[in-house]
C-alpha cells in the first residue's frame, strides 16, 4: 500500500502549496482521493499514470477538494482514454460535471459513471476481489464523507516443501490457499496450517478530511493501519476550528488514539502557519506515531 | 500598457506549461483575459494583486481558457473581496459559475456581474473614461470572441511656458487640454497648438485566441499596436490546424501583415513541439516584428 500526497493544504492553491488530492495504491489499484485545482499537474509531477486511475473519490463539494476534477476528466479525454471512469461523491457532483461538459461541448471519449452519495450512515460503495471501500460520514459545513480503504484478506501462502512432503496433488492447491485441509488417499487429514504460511496481513487506510472533532468515526475506523486526519489548525486556534468545523492537530491525535490506529498522518494545514513541525509536536503529546503529509511526499505503508 | 502572460500553451496544463491566461495593464486598469486551470497560482507567481482585477474576459467555453475561473472567483471570496467583479464571456458562463457556487455552497463576498455575449458582430462591451473594449468574433469549434482593448485619446498636454506667456487664466486649462482655443481679453484668438503638446498616442491591444485563419478580423483589428494571435501549429501541421479550427504561425503573421499591426505576439502553442523558435522563424518569413509569448513573460508595450 502506497500513499502519494499531491496536495494537503487548506483553502486556496498557492505558489508552493496545493489543495487536497492524494493517490492510494492498494493491491495494484490506484484510487484518486479528492481533486483540488491543479491535481492533474500534480499527477504529472509525481509521475502517476493517468490511465491507471479508474476510481475517483470526492469527500465534499468544496473547491479545494473539487475544482481540479473537471480538468482531470477533460484531460483524460484529450489523451484518448477509453477505460471507464467511476466517480464517487456527494449528490450534485453529476450535475456539476455534466453541465460543464455540456457547456464546454467537450464530451468524454470514455464512459463516466457517477456514484452519488447521500447516506448519513457508513456504507460500502466499492468492492472487488481484493479491496473494499466504505464511507466515513464526517461533520463539516456541507455533506462530507471520508473513505475507508480495506484490503481483503489475501490467500494463505503455500508451503511448497510441505505439500511436496505429503505428496499433495496440484489440484488441491487452490483449496489449500483458501484455507482448506487435505485428506490423503489413506484417509489421513492434513491440517491447513501444516501446508501453508500466514499471508501478509490485510492493510487498511482511512481518509478523514474535512471534519470537526467527531467521535462517531471511531467505531468505523477502529484498528485501521493508517489514518489521515485533517488538522487545519493548532490548539491555539481551537475556537476557530470549532467555528469552521475543522480539527486541530491535538483532536486528530485524540481520534487516532481512541480508534487505536497504528499510524496517523496529518494534513489539510491552514496556510496561516509558517511551518509544519508544531502540528507534529502537538499531536505527539497525545499519540506517538505521527507523520506529516506534504505535497509530493509518498508513504510506503 | 503592459501585458503579462500567465499561460500560453494549448490543451492541458502540464508540469512546466500553463493554459491560456494573461493580464493586460492599460491606463491603470488590470484586465484578466482567459482563465485556464491554475491561473490563480500564476497570478500569485507573477505578483499580480488580486484586488486590482475587476474585469475578466473569457474568449470561449473550452477548459484550457476557463477551468481556472471558478477557483479564482472562490479565492477572491476567501480573501474577503468586496469590490464588484465583472465577467464577460459566451452565453452559458453565468449558469456554469452559479451552479458551481450553489452546489459548493460558497457564495461570494462581493457582487458578481455577468456580461454574456452571443452576437456574431463586433460590439463594444466595456467603456469608461480611458479605455474601450470591443469583441473580435472568431471562428472556432464553439462560439468564441477575441477582445480589442483600446486606450481613448488622452488629453493634450499643457505647454506651461506658453500659457504663462499669454497670461491665460487657470479656469481655461481644462478647455485647452480638451483641444480648445483661447480668446484673450483683447479679442486675440490663441490656437490650441500654441498652448499644448501632443499627448502620448493612444495604444491598442488585440487578443485573438482560438481561431482558424479568418480574414474577417482584419478590419476590426486594423492598425492595432499589438496583436496576440494564436499559433497552435506550424505550417507542417496546416491541415490539422484547419481541421481543429486553429491557426499556424504563418497564418497568424499573415493576419498581422494584412491588418497592418505594429507588433505580433505568438502563443497558444501545441505541446507537441519541443521549442518555440520555429514559430518565430515561420512567422518572420511573412511579418517582421514577431515576439514569442511564454509563461511568466511580461511585455511593456
Amino acid at each position: 500500500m502506497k500513499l502519494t500526497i499531491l496536495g494537503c493544504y487548506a483553502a486556496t492553491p498557492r505558489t508552493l502549496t496545493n489543495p487536497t488530492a492524494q493517490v492510494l495504491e492498494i493491491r495494484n489499484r490506484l484510487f484518486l482521493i479528492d481533486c483540488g485545482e491543479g491535481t492533474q499537474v500534480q499527477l504529472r509531477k509525481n509521475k502517476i499514470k493517468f490511465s491507471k486511475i479508474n476510481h475517483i473519490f470526492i469527500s465534499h463539494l468544496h473547491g479545494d477538494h473539487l475544482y481540479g476534477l473537471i480538468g482531470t476528466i477533460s484531460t483524460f479525454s484529450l489523451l484518448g482514454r477509453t477505460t471507464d471512469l467511476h466517480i464517487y461523491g456527494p449528490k450534485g457532483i453529476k450535475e456539476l460535471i455534466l453541465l460543464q461538459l455540456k457547456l464546454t461541448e467537450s464530451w468524454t471519449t470514455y464512459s463516466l459513471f457517477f456514484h452519488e452519495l447521500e447516506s448519513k450512515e457508513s456504507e460500502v460503495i466499492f468492492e472487488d476481489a481484493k479491496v473494499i471501500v466504505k464511507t466515513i460520514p464526517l461533520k463539516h459545513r456541507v455533506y462530507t464523507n471520508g473513505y475507508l480503504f480495506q484490503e481483503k484478506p489475501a490467500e494463505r501462502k503455500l508451503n511448497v516443501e510441505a505439500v511436496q512432503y505429503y505428496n499433495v496433488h496440484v489440484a488441491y492447491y487452490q483449496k489449500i490457499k483458501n484455507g482448506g485441509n487435505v485428506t490423503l488417499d489413506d484417509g489421513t487429514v492434513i491440517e491447513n496450517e501444516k501446508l501453508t504460511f500466514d499471508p501478509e496481513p490485510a492493510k487498511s487506510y482511512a481518509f478523514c478530511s474535512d471534519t470537526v472533532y467527531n467521535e462517531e468515526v471511531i467505531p468505523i475506523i477502529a484498528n485501521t493501519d493508517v489514518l489521515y486526519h485533517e488538522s487545519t489548525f493548532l490548539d491555539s486556534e481551537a475556537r476557530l476550528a470549532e467555528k469552521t468545523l475543522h480539527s486541530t492537530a491535538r483532536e486528530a491525535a485524540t481520534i487516532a488514539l481512541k480508534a487505536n490506529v497504528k499510524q496517523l498522518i496529518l494534513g489539510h494545514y491552514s496556510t496561516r502557519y509558517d511551518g509544519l513541525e508544531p502540528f507534529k509536536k502537538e499531536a505527539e503529546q497525545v499519540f506517538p506515531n505521527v507523520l506529516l503529509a506534504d505535497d509530493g511526499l509518498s508513504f510506503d505503508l
Side-chain angles (χ1 to χ4, degrees), chain A:
Chain A
M1 205 165 66
K2 183 183 172 186
L3 180 70
T4 303
I5 307 295
L6 304 176
C8 65
Y9 288 81
T12 71
R14 301 172 87 92
T15 308
L16 297 172
T17 63
N18 296 277
T20 303
Q22 44 185 256
V23 173
L24 180 70
E25 188 179 340
I26 176 170
R27 291 270 164 89
N28 285 318
R29 285 134 184 81
L30 229 56
F31 296 124
L32 176 59
I33 308 166
D34 277 347
C35 197
E37 186 175 347
T39 294
Q40 57 174 312
V41 173
Q42 286 296 93
L43 285 169
R44 283 187 197 273
K45 279 188 184 164
N46 288 279
K47 303 198 189 318
I48 290 165
K49 275 201 168 178
F50 290 4
S51 59
K52 287 196 71 183
I53 296 170
N54 298 328
H55 304 271
I56 302 178
F57 298 85
I58 301 294
S59 63
H60 65 301
L61 302 183
H62 273 169
D64 55 332
H65 298 252
L66 172 72
Y67 286 160
L69 182 58
I70 181 67
T72 301
I73 288 172
S74 300
T75 293
F76 283 4
S77 254
L78 282 168
L79 298 174
R81 178 190 180 104
T82 54
T83 318
D84 295 349
L85 182 67
H86 293 265
I87 294 173
Y88 305 78
K91 192 168 165 58
I93 197 167
K94 181 176 179 180
E95 183 187 4
L96 194 81
I97 295 299
L98 290 190
L99 178 72
Q100 289 181 85
L101 291 174
K102 184 187 133 199
L103 285 175
T104 61
E105 293 185 31
S106 45
W107 302 105
T108 56
T109 55
Y110 53 92
S111 295
L112 203 49
F113 295 91
F114 291 92
H115 306 266
E116 294 199 310
L117 309 174
E118 45 186 334
S119 171
K120 288 178 179 174
E121 308 293 326
S122 175
E123 56 181 343
V124 173
I125 55 169
F126 172 85
E127 183 169 8
D128 69 7
K130 297 191 173 177
V131 178
I132 188 163
V133 184
K134 296 171 186 163
T135 57
I136 308 167
L138 300 176
K139 282 189 186 164
H140 192 45
R141 302 195 300 279
V142 294
Y143 176 75
T144 304
N145 285 299
Y147 295 103
L148 175 63
F149 301 84
Q150 295 174 306
E151 293 180 354
K152 288 188 177 175
E155 293 177 338
R156 297 189 62 77
K157 287 183 180 170
L158 211 59
N159 179 339
V160 179
E161 281 185 19
V163 293
Q164 284 172 350
Y165 174 83
Y166 289 110
N167 204 18
V168 178
H169 191 273
V170 67
Y172 293 100
Y173 286 5
Q174 189 58 50
K175 182 186 171 194
I176 296 167
K177 288 195 274 188
N178 290 346
N181 302 330
V182 170
T183 308
L184 301 181
D185 293 345
D186 64 3
T188 320
V189 174
I190 316 290
E191 299 290 325
N192 184 275
E193 50 260 44
K194 287 188 180 165
L195 300 169
T196 59
F197 302 114
D198 287 343
E200 292 288 313
K203 293 277 180 67
S204 54
Y205 171 67
F207 168 84
C208 291
S209 176
D210 303 1
T211 186
V212 74
Y213 179 79
N214 173 22
E215 296 198 347
E216 289 171 30
V217 305
I218 292 169
I220 304 170
I221 64 171
N223 307 312
T224 293
D225 290 284
V226 183
L227 166 65
Y228 173 95
H229 195 290
E230 74 125 299
S231 58
T232 308
F233 297 107
L234 293 173
D235 211 22
S236 45
E237 279 69 47
R239 286 183 61 185
L240 193 53
E242 204 182 334
K243 187 182 160 199
T244 59
L245 300 192
H246 281 297
S247 301
T248 66
R250 181 185 306 280
E251 289 169 337
T254 306
I255 294 291
L257 182 77
K258 294 193 175 182
N260 190 37
V261 307
K262 294 192 182 68
Q263 181 118 55
L264 170 65
I265 300 177
L266 297 177
H268 201 269
Y269 318 107
S270 163
T271 48
R272 74 180 53 215
Y273 303 107
D274 275 341
L276 302 183
E277 276 305 316
F279 288 91
K280 190 165 192 275
K281 277 191 187 154
E282 182 175 303
E284 280 174 343
Q285 289 169 11
V286 176
F287 181 82
N289 203 354
V290 180
L291 295 170
L292 292 169
D294 207 351
D295 298 5
L297 270 192
S298 276
F299 300 98
D300 280 307
L301 305 175

